[in-house]
Amino acid sequence: MCFKEKMNAMKPNSFHSKLILITAIGLVYGNTFLSTFHFDDIPSILEKPWIRGLDKIPQFLFSFFQRPLIILSFNINYAISEFEVWSYHLFNIMFHVLATLLVYQLARRALDYLKEFSPQKDFAFLPFFAAMIFALHPLSTQSITYISSRSSLLVTVFYLASLILFFKGFQTWKVTGQKGWSHFLGSGLCFLLGGFSKETIVTLPAMLFLFHFYFISRQTPKAWVATNAKWIFLLVIPLLALVGYKQFMAGGLLSASSAHLQPGTWFLTQTAVIPFEYFRKMLFPFNMNIDINFPILSHWLQPLNWLGMVVLGLFITFWIRISACVSATGSLEVGRRCVGFGMAWVLLTLLPTSSFIPLLDVAVEHRTYLPLVGFVFIFAGGFGCVRIWCEKSFSGFAFPVTKLIDFCAVLILLCFSVGVIIRNGDWKDEVTLWTDAKKKSPNLVRPYNNVGEAYDKLGKYDEAIAEFEGALKINPNYFFGLNNLGNVYGKQRKLPQAIGYFQRALEQKPDYGPAHYNLARAFHLTGKRQEAAESYRKAIKFNPYFEQAFYNLAYLAMELSLFDEAIQNFNKFLVMQPNHSKAHFGLGNGLMMKGHLDLALGEYRKSAELDPKFAFPYLNIANIQMQTKNIPAAIENFEKALTINPSMPAVHLSLGMVYHQFQGNSEKTLGHLKESLRLAPGQPKAKSIRSLIQELENKQPT
């Protein structure tokens, strides 16, 4: 049985088809479950206080200034596995499975609308083949394996679901006369949820019109536009709403311009990025790269710009010619409409990121995940047209020709599968990922810096220094590299060198919180406690969620007897990490120094509850109980401290004195005093302890 016949044998709603799709995805992405967190995963997941606990959900769920559904999904992951990475990858793979099944469903629905044009057997393969291409395309690996790219997955799922539900309702309306409100409401809900995932959902209303034109309407383009003019006009409303929201509530339409590019420069560059980066990798998905070194095009006379515009012009011209013929009939009409729809999909879904609004990186692979839906329609529709044309043109040799085409299709799917598995290997850890990026983008500074950070985390400081110095050779003012190099020197206790690099980093970017934090640590280690405190305060000023800066400043404030500031910073830290035992202990110390003994006791007990192996809370509880003359309770807590850590000379001394002064138990007194001396023979009170021991021993009966 040939490739086409095999796929035709799988009915569009076949359970086996869906099972094959799910299995294929599981096989090619099964090697990602232990891949580490990468790059933006650090600030988006590991350093995001909102994801740590389901009780945090109300803090972000109704915020319109971020992507609350993405944070919610990370919050659920944290509830399942905290920072064990497997559940995060499992979620991403599950969303990809769901998106693939929705592509299958969308293609099946499109084919149902076009069954009058061609025998069903000619294009029955299309839903399964399109979904397989989408499932296995290597260009999707960044969206799936890179956890922080989850927004691309979610918006695609909601985009497809909204489109399918809308036309289910539309078909119910046309066939039965009933409005199908449940489907329309479901479509609207998916549109809203997509908006909470990623802004590219804004193109969905236009896609509804395009789907209607290519798969439902039988009119010419001119007649269709005339018939739907008033509805097309209403399409402008959500676009204006988004523009107004971005302009007046979310910091301005161009607020994402972190790359400091002007809209005109961005547009010029994107005219080359779309054909030479995105289109090329859709057709030839090789040389995947997390950090693409694409040149910035700043004026109209650059050859790459003109060549890109020529390619885009040809693409658009071909799309217009195909679309102008959609009212025709014939065996190729199904494929022609799928190709036209796919081309329109690709262009429309690339507009939000590849038009006039500058973003941080000019080319990023995960921006193509939603546009890939259009590509698979182009590919599958074109494949069907080629096959039908060959059957007619080579009627005498139809069998070997079609067998060759089928073999090529299978080979493409196999190559895609191998490509996904190999690319996922690059995502194994930070060293493998950024070493790969460094090979592919040797003139970019970020891969060198990120390889250095990976080595730094592994404790390979010499290798890290070499990478950071490589980054600074490319850009001597690269503040990330300066800060990171200083951080490594700080770990090697080369503090003067470290301080010099931190100060150079802050000269380049005075509001860079990590450099202020690292400078504070270096100052603290060199005994400059006031300067350290001021640097910690600056780190917090420029990053209000800098947890470790709050924690370190709180303990430093305790050293400086700034107890109010210490209490304030411990409290702020505990809002973000409420289960941190040592922070509760530190807060207890601050409260005790302010005389709030009852509050201090509560914090010490919380600290001990969170970390049963932490002995110091029991020691301080006992000291407070000594002040309040609750001697039996104090003895009990001193004993608990020693049960956890028997090698605490101060506790043995305190317990010995309690037994001597309040219990008159000479045996226990001597035992604890002698143990205190044994553990710390040079302690300040050693002489008086020995005198007391001698005195007690002289009183012992002989």
Side-chain angles (χ1 to χ4, degrees):
M1 185 181 290
C2 70
F3 173 74
K4 180 183 166 187
E5 290 169 339
K6 287 179 181 177
M7 287 195 289
N8 286 347
M10 296 180 183
K11 300 298 181 184
N13 58 353
S14 168
F15 169 79
H16 295 96
S17 299
K18 297 173 183 177
L19 184 60
I20 290 172
L21 290 168
I22 295 170
T23 302
I25 292 172
L27 288 173
V28 299
Y29 284 98
N31 62 338
T32 66
F33 280 98
L34 298 180
S35 296
T36 59
F37 290 111
H38 291 286
F39 200 31
D40 284 341
D41 295 342
I42 311 304
S44 299
I45 300 173
L46 300 182
E47 296 177 356
K48 182 73 76 174
W50 288 335
I51 77 163
R52 300 186 199 128
L54 299 178
D55 59 311
K56 305 291 185 183
I57 292 175
Q59 298 180 26
F60 64 81
L61 190 58
F62 300 103
S63 172
F64 296 96
F65 298 96
Q66 50 197 325
R67 296 170 177 173
L69 280 190
I70 307 303
I71 301 175
L72 176 61
S73 71
F74 293 148
N75 193 286
I76 295 170
N77 283 135
Y78 184 83
I80 295 171
S81 68
E82 295 191 351
F83 290 132
E84 292 182 13
V85 77
W86 65 266
S87 79
Y88 297 83
H89 285 299
L90 178 62
F91 266 48
N92 277 24
I93 294 170
M94 289 170 59
F95 288 132
H96 181 53
V97 168
L98 187 54
T100 299
L101 295 178
L102 289 170
V103 169
Y104 175 83
Q105 190 73 11
L106 181 67
R108 185 173 72 87
R109 182 159 294 277
L111 196 64
D112 286 343
Y113 283 122
L114 301 177
K115 57 188 175 183
E116 67 193 73
F117 290 108
S118 178
Q120 283 290 289
K121 65 182 181 64
D122 287 339
F123 282 93
F125 72 91
L126 191 145
F128 180 75
F129 187 48
M132 280 294 285
I133 292 291
F134 184 79
L136 301 176
H137 202 291
L139 188 53
S140 297
T141 51
Q142 186 174 119
S143 300
I144 301 159
T145 310
Y146 183 22
I147 297 168
S148 290
S149 293
R150 185 176 293 179
S151 59
S152 297
L153 301 173
L154 260 68
V155 76
T156 301
V157 167
F158 290 124
Y159 201 106
L160 292 166
S162 182
L163 191 62
I164 291 168
L165 286 170
F166 182 89
F167 283 102
K168 278 188 177 180
F170 184 85
Q171 188 175 34
T172 301
W173 180 24
K174 289 298 183 182
V175 173
T176 67
Q178 299 177 356
K179 296 292 185 180
W181 287 115
S182 61
H183 291 113
F184 290 135
L185 288 173
S187 177
L189 177 62
C190 287
F191 179 75
L192 181 64
L193 294 175
F196 289 152
S197 303
K198 198 172 184 178
E199 294 79 359
T200 48
I201 195 74
V202 74
T203 61
L204 177 63
M207 195 63 70
L208 297 176
F209 283 98
L210 289 170
F211 188 92
H212 180 273
F213 171 69
Y214 285 102
F215 299 118
I216 298 176
S217 172
R218 301 296 182 259
Q219 296 176 296
T220 63
K222 184 176 180 181
W224 180 83
V225 170
T227 303
N228 297 280
K230 65 177 181 180
W231 299 107
I232 295 173
F233 176 75
L234 291 174
L235 171 65
V236 177
I237 293 176
L239 295 175
L240 291 177
L242 177 67
V243 170
Y245 160 71
K246 288 288 290 181
Q247 185 65 32
F248 299 109
M249 296 184 66
L253 188 62
L254 303 180
S255 61
S257 185
S258 302
H260 306 293
L261 297 179
Q262 294 299 315
T265 302
W266 182 265
F267 175 76
L268 286 178
T269 303
Q270 293 305 308
T271 60
V273 167
I274 292 173
F276 300 131
E277 190 62 35
Y278 297 156
F279 286 1
R280 177 182 65 81
K281 286 184 176 177
M282 287 180 185
L283 286 169
F284 306 105
F286 308 110
N287 203 38
M288 301 292 111
N289 190 358
I290 192 176
D291 205 359
I292 298 167
N293 187 13
F294 201 92
I296 304 296
L297 305 180
S298 56
H299 57 80
W300 292 91
L301 299 179
Q302 291 172 270
L304 191 62
N305 171 250
W306 283 104
L307 189 56
M309 294 184 72
V310 167
V311 174
L312 276 178
L314 291 173
F315 184 90
I316 293 171
T317 301
F318 185 57
W319 168 58
I320 292 172
R321 288 179 65 85
I322 287 179
S323 302
C325 300
V326 295
S327 59
T329 58
S331 59
L332 300 181
E333 183 63 10
V334 174
R336 182 162 53 235
R337 286 177 181 260
C338 286
V339 171
F341 174 72
M343 296 177 79
W345 182 295
V346 170
L347 290 172
L348 183 63
T349 54
L350 281 174
L351 273 179
T353 57
S354 298
S355 53
F356 290 97
I357 302 177
L359 303 173
L360 180 60
D361 295 295
V362 296
V364 180
E365 289 170 5
H366 65 251
R367 292 176 192 159
T368 64
Y369 188 77
L370 179 59
L372 267 175
V373 177
F375 171 77
V376 301
F377 270 86
I378 298 171
F379 196 93
F383 176 84
C385 288
V386 169
R387 203 176 191 288
I388 292 172
W389 180 83
C390 288
E391 287 177 348
K392 292 182 177 180
S393 301
F394 303 97
S395 55
F397 303 95
F399 182 75
V401 171
T402 53
K403 288 286 285 184
L404 178 61
I405 295 172
D406 296 343
F407 175 76
C408 290
V410 174
L411 186 62
I412 288 170
L413 291 176
L414 289 174
C415 289
F416 279 7
S417 301
V418 172
V420 169
I421 294 170
I422 293 173
R423 179 56 181 161
N424 284 338
D426 294 333
W427 288 88
K428 177 185 176 183
D429 55 46
E430 291 179 292
V431 173
T432 57
L433 178 65
W434 289 102
T435 299
D436 172 78
K438 193 173 73 168
K439 291 177 183 176
K440 294 170 180 174
S441 301
N443 297 320
L444 286 184
V445 66
R446 188 162 56 186
Y448 288 88
N449 178 74
N450 289 6
V451 172
E453 288 185 350
Y455 282 133
D456 180 13
K457 292 175 185 176
L458 295 172
K460 297 181 178 181
Y461 298 137
D462 291 338
E463 292 91 335
I465 289 171
E467 296 296 338
F468 293 139
E469 288 177 344
L472 294 175
K473 286 179 182 177
I474 299 172
N475 180 1
N477 297 323
Y478 186 60
F479 63 89
F480 287 114
L482 292 167
N483 174 66
N484 287 332
L485 189 54
N487 190 36
V488 173
Y489 282 130
K491 292 177 180 179
Q492 294 180 329
R493 291 297 187 266
K494 299 176 182 179
L495 297 177
Q497 288 173 270
I499 290 171
Y501 279 109
F502 296 143
Q503 291 173 335
R504 284 178 59 190
L506 290 170
E507 288 173 6
Q508 301 303 317
K509 189 170 176 60
D511 62 347
Y512 186 46
H516 284 291
Y517 171 80
N518 287 332
L519 182 60
R521 293 175 64 197
F523 279 147
H524 198 175
L525 289 170
T526 55
K528 299 178 179 179
R529 296 190 297 176
Q530 295 290 349
E531 293 89 338
E534 187 58 32
S535 290
Y536 280 132
R537 293 181 190 117
K538 289 180 180 178
I540 291 168
K541 173 184 176 182
F542 297 122
N543 181 359
Y545 299 104
F546 205 145
E547 298 172 344
Q548 201 61 35
F550 281 112
Y551 182 79
N552 288 9
L553 178 57
Y555 269 108
L556 178 57
M558 288 292 296
E559 292 181 31
L560 296 171
S561 299
L562 301 173
F563 302 123
D564 288 329
E565 185 175 7
I567 291 169
Q568 181 184 34
N569 283 289
F570 278 127
N571 278 320
K572 288 181 178 179
F573 176 81
L574 286 167
V575 169
M576 294 178 280
Q577 292 206 35
N579 297 323
H580 196 286
S581 173
K582 289 182 174 59
H584 282 286
F585 176 75
L587 178 57
N589 290 343
L591 291 168
M592 184 170 67
M593 296 305 295
K594 292 289 291 182
H596 305 306
L597 300 184
D598 289 340
L599 294 176
L601 280 172
E603 294 300 324
Y604 290 139
R605 290 189 175 113
K606 182 68 174 177
S607 175
E609 177 187 337
L610 290 169
D611 185 0
K613 295 182 179 180
F614 187 30
F616 284 100
Y618 293 107
L619 172 60
N620 285 11
I621 290 172
N623 286 330
I624 290 176
Q625 290 167 338
M626 288 294 296
Q627 294 182 46
T628 58
K629 306 302 181 182
N630 189 353
I631 306 304
I635 292 173
E636 180 183 353
N637 282 290
F638 280 133
E639 295 284 6
K640 283 182 180 178
L642 289 177
T643 301
I644 297 168
N645 184 1
S647 301
M648 300 174 71
V651 180
H652 282 288
L653 175 60
S654 297
L655 198 51
M657 296 307 296
V658 170
Y659 279 123
H660 174 61
Q661 294 176 0
F662 298 99
Q663 299 288 315
N665 190 327
S666 300
E667 182 180 351
K668 289 188 175 181
T669 299
L670 285 169
H672 285 294
L673 292 179
K674 289 178 179 179
E675 182 65 11
S676 177
L677 277 178
R678 186 187 71 80
L679 292 170
Q683 59 183 282
K685 295 182 179 180
K687 185 176 181 180
S688 59
I689 295 172
R690 290 190 179 93
S691 297
L692 180 58
I693 291 172
Q694 185 175 5
E695 178 185 340
L696 291 172
E697 287 180 334
N698 290 337
K699 291 181 179 179
Q700 292 289 313
T702 59

